[in-house]
Amino acid sequence: MRTDSSPGTLPAREHLPAATAGTPVLDVVIPVYNEEKDLQPCVLRLHDHLTRTFPYPFRITIADNASTDSTPDVARLLETRVPQVRSVRLEQKGRGRALRTVWSASDAPILAYMDVDLSTDLNALLPLVAPLISGHSDLAIGSRLARSSRVVRGAKREFISRSYNLILRGSLQARFSDAQCGFKAIRRDVAQLLLPLVEDTGWFFDTEMLVLAERAGLRIHEVPVDWVDDPDSTVHIVRTATDDLKGVWRVGRALATGSLPLDRLTRPFGDDPRDREIMDVPKGLARQLVGFCVVGGLSTLFYLLLYSGFRQFSGSQTANALALLVSAVANTAANRRLTFGVRGRSGAVRHQAQGLVVFGIGLALTSGSLVALDAATSDPAHATELAVLVAANLAATVLRFLLFRAWVFPDRRGDEEPPAPVPSQPPGRTAAPPTYPAPGPLPQRPHPHAQHPHAQHPHTPPRDSGTNQFRAGEAADGTVGLPPLERSREWGRDATMRLQPVRPHDTDPGDAR
C-alpha cells in the first residue's frame, strides 16, 4: 500500500503503439565481438526467417563491441546489401553496454536480442515477442530450463547454469527460470524506465534487468526453447561466474536497503477503461503481516539487547524507556519502507511522530507489566524481567500493527479527488463518449491487428524521405540529453498508430485484401 505516487509510474497494460508510419515494430540486436566468421551467416539466416514468418516490419541491428578483427567491415557490408540491417560500432566491450546503447536509441516499440551463434531455434522468436505486442507482458525470455525445452549441451555448462539459477532463487528470490539464455525481448516503454536502473554493462546485465523487473511487479513471459550449445563459444566461464556473483551481492544489497526507485515501474490494476479509477493494487494483508513479523522479530532482539545494556547503569523503568524509544524509531522506519512500501522523504517526520505515539502505548503496556512484576516480587530475576517484557511486547506488537495499518500508513487512494463529471448534453444531441484521465506518462498500446490507413509494407521504405539517422546512444525521438524520466514523458506525447499485419506477398497496393 503506497501513500505516494511516482511520476514515472507506467500506464495500465494496453496494446502496442508504433510511433510513426514505417517504424519497425521489432528491433533485434546482435551483440558481437570478433565474429567475422559467423556474423554474415547468422544475419542472413535471421533476415530470411523474419522475412518469411514475422508479420510486422522489423530491423536487425549489429552491435559491434570494439572488435579487433574484420567484424566491423562485415557489419558495414551487410548494412549496405541487406534491407532492414544496420550496424552500430561501440569502442568499449560489454554485452550489457551494447544492449543499453542500442535499445536506448531505437525507435522500435519491441526490443529484442539474441546471440550471434543462433543457438536458440528461431521458431521461438514470434512466440517470444507476441505477448509484448498484444500487451500481455512487459518482458519475455527464452528458457532452456523449462520442462518442454530441448537442450543439447555438456554436463559442465548444464551444472553451472542450474547452480546459478539456484543461487538467484535463494539469494534474490528470483522466480524466472533462466537468467542467462541469450534470447530476450522487452517493450520500449518499459526499457526507458528500467534501463537507467541497471548498472552492469557485461554478462550480468540480463540478470539484473530481470530481477529489478520482477521486484517491480512487471510481467515476465517465459518461452520454452530448443537450444544447442556452441562448442566454439568464447565466454570465459570462471570470470563470468565471478562477476555474476559480485552482481548478485550488489543487487541484493540495493534491494535490502530500498535504494532503488522501483515504484516508478509499477502499473495500475486493469487495462479496461472502467478499471482506471483503480490507481494501484493494495498490498495484501498476508504479505504485510509477514513483513511486520520479520521487522518486529528483529526489533524485539534489538530492544532486548538495548535493555540489557542500559540495565547495567540504570533502573528497569529507565532502561525500558530508552531501549523502547530507540527501537521504536528504527521499527517505524523499517516498517515504513519494507512492510507498507512507502518511499521518499515525504511524510517521514509525520510518520515518526505518529510512531512515537504508538511507542507511548507500547511503553505504557511494558512499564505496567514491570510495575506489576515489582509488586509481585521485590527482587525479580533478570530472566523473569525479560520474559515479562517479551509477553508485554507481543501484546503491544499486535496493537502496533493495527495502528500502523489504519492510522500511520493508511491507504490514501480513497482521498484523491474524483474525476469531474461529464456535462450532460442538450436534448436531441448524442452524448460524447466519456474520457478517462491518462494513467501515466507513457503511451498506450493499440491492438496489433487494428487497421491504420498509413500502415506500410515491411519492405517498402516510408513515404517520408526525411527520416533522421541516429548514432548509438542518441534517442530516436528527439529527446537527446533529457533524463530518462523526462524522455519517457516526451515519448508518451508522440502520436500513435494502429498496427496492421502484413504478408510477404502482398505487393499490390491496389489489392483489396
Side-chain angles (χ1 to χ4, degrees):
M1 163 170 50
R2 286 185 180 83
T3 58
D4 58 345
S5 59
S6 169
T9 300
L10 288 164
R13 293 185 178 91
E14 292 187 358
H15 297 289
L16 180 69
T20 56
T23 300
V25 173
L26 174 65
D27 192 350
V28 182
V29 182
I30 304 177
V32 293
Y33 174 73
N34 291 346
E35 297 287 354
E36 59 183 0
K37 178 181 177 181
D38 296 332
L39 179 57
Q40 180 170 331
C42 161
V43 172
L44 294 179
R45 178 183 166 194
L46 175 60
H47 183 270
D48 176 70
H49 177 83
L50 289 172
T51 302
R52 289 185 296 104
T53 65
F54 194 69
Y56 302 110
F58 64 86
R59 178 195 297 138
I60 301 173
T61 301
I62 304 169
D64 176 25
N65 285 140
S67 296
T68 57
D69 61 0
S70 61
T71 298
D73 299 329
V74 177
R76 285 191 294 268
L77 182 64
L78 289 168
E79 182 179 24
T80 303
R81 296 184 177 181
V82 183
Q84 296 89 32
V85 173
R86 70 166 182 170
S87 64
V88 176
R89 167 75 176 181
L90 289 86
E91 299 302 329
Q92 292 178 292
K93 292 180 61 177
R95 182 177 69 175
R97 179 180 286 107
L99 293 177
R100 184 200 310 277
T101 301
V102 178
W103 283 355
S104 299
S106 179
D107 55 351
I110 300 297
L111 310 169
Y113 96 89
M114 62 181 61
D115 293 334
V116 69
D117 55 15
L118 296 186
S119 297
T120 306
D121 183 13
L122 292 179
N123 287 326
L125 182 56
L126 185 56
L128 183 80
V129 301
L132 308 187
I133 294 175
S134 69
H136 174 271
S137 301
D138 302 296
L139 299 92
I141 64 174
S143 175
R144 299 164 295 184
L145 302 180
R147 290 189 176 183
S148 57
S149 299
R150 296 182 297 179
V151 177
V152 178
R153 62 177 168 183
K156 178 181 178 181
R157 295 190 64 128
E158 181 77 12
F159 174 77
I160 293 175
S161 178
R162 292 189 178 274
S163 298
Y164 180 65
N165 282 280
L166 286 176
I167 291 174
L168 293 181
R169 289 176 177 271
S171 59
L172 300 179
Q173 288 79 49
R175 296 186 179 181
F176 47 86
S177 64
D178 194 351
Q180 289 290 12
C181 181
F183 198 71
K184 294 182 176 67
I186 185 173
R187 291 182 56 91
R188 178 176 176 253
D189 54 356
V190 176
Q192 286 182 324
L193 295 181
L194 179 58
L195 293 184
L197 304 181
V198 181
E199 296 183 14
D200 191 80
T201 59
W203 293 95
F204 187 70
F205 175 89
D206 304 50
T207 302
E208 185 171 358
M209 178 180 68
L210 292 174
V211 169
L212 298 186
E214 188 175 69
R215 287 299 186 94
L218 298 180
R219 184 172 293 161
I220 301 175
H221 179 74
E222 296 197 21
V223 178
V225 297
D226 296 342
W227 192 85
V228 179
D229 189 14
D230 180 13
D232 299 325
S233 175
T234 58
V235 178
H236 194 290
I237 296 179
V238 176
R239 183 172 64 242
T240 301
T242 302
D243 293 341
D244 287 348
L245 292 177
K246 292 179 180 178
V248 170
W249 169 257
R250 174 177 54 80
V251 172
R253 182 176 57 185
L255 292 174
T257 58
S259 59
L260 295 171
L262 298 181
D263 53 343
R264 70 175 56 177
L265 294 171
T266 57
R267 289 192 186 276
F269 177 78
D271 57 0
D272 189 285
R274 294 168 296 180
D275 297 332
R276 291 184 188 167
E277 293 182 0
I278 305 177
M279 299 304 295
D280 200 357
V281 180
K283 297 292 190 297
L285 177 61
R287 195 206 66 85
Q288 288 183 349
L289 281 173
V290 172
F292 186 82
C293 289
V294 172
V295 173
L298 295 176
S299 298
T300 300
L301 293 177
F302 184 50
Y303 161 78
L304 294 177
L305 291 175
L306 290 175
Y307 177 82
S308 299
F310 292 143
R311 192 67 174 85
Q312 302 297 323
F313 56 85
S314 63
S316 61
Q317 293 289 359
T318 303
N320 175 62
L322 292 175
L324 198 58
L325 176 61
V326 176
S327 61
V329 173
N331 180 275
T332 300
N335 278 306
R336 181 179 188 268
R337 178 180 293 273
L338 301 178
T339 303
F340 298 97
V342 180
R343 300 288 190 267
R345 299 180 179 179
S346 176
V349 176
R350 174 173 56 84
H351 293 155
Q352 283 291 351
Q354 291 173 312
L356 290 178
V357 175
V358 178
F359 149 77
I361 299 175
L363 178 63
L365 288 175
T366 53
S367 297
S369 64
L370 288 176
V371 170
L373 179 62
D374 291 337
T377 176
S378 59
D379 188 18
H382 183 65
T384 305
E385 286 184 347
L386 292 181
V388 171
L389 288 175
V390 168
N393 267 291
L394 288 176
T397 298
V398 176
L399 182 60
R400 185 184 303 119
F401 176 76
L402 296 176
L403 290 175
F404 274 176
R405 182 176 172 85
W407 180 48
V408 183
F409 306 111
D411 187 354
R412 301 291 187 187
R413 293 172 298 143
D415 299 339
E416 296 178 358
E417 184 178 354
V422 179
S424 59
Q425 300 292 332
R429 294 187 181 182
T430 303
T435 58
Y436 297 89
L442 295 181
Q444 308 299 315
R445 306 180 184 177
H447 194 281
H449 298 291
Q451 181 121 0
H452 189 274
H454 301 294
Q456 298 186 4
H457 192 278
H459 309 304
T460 303
R463 297 176 183 175
D464 184 5
S465 60
T467 303
N468 294 326
Q469 300 295 326
F470 298 91
R471 296 187 301 272
E474 290 186 344
D477 49 12
T479 57
V480 179
L482 292 178
L485 188 56
E486 294 297 327
R487 188 163 61 246
S488 66
R489 292 173 179 169
E490 292 297 326
W491 186 78
R493 300 188 183 102
D494 290 348
T496 61
M497 60 169 270
R498 299 286 177 175
L499 298 177
Q500 176 185 4
V502 294
R503 294 175 290 275
H505 303 294
D506 291 347
T507 57
D508 184 6
D511 193 341
R513 293 179 300 171

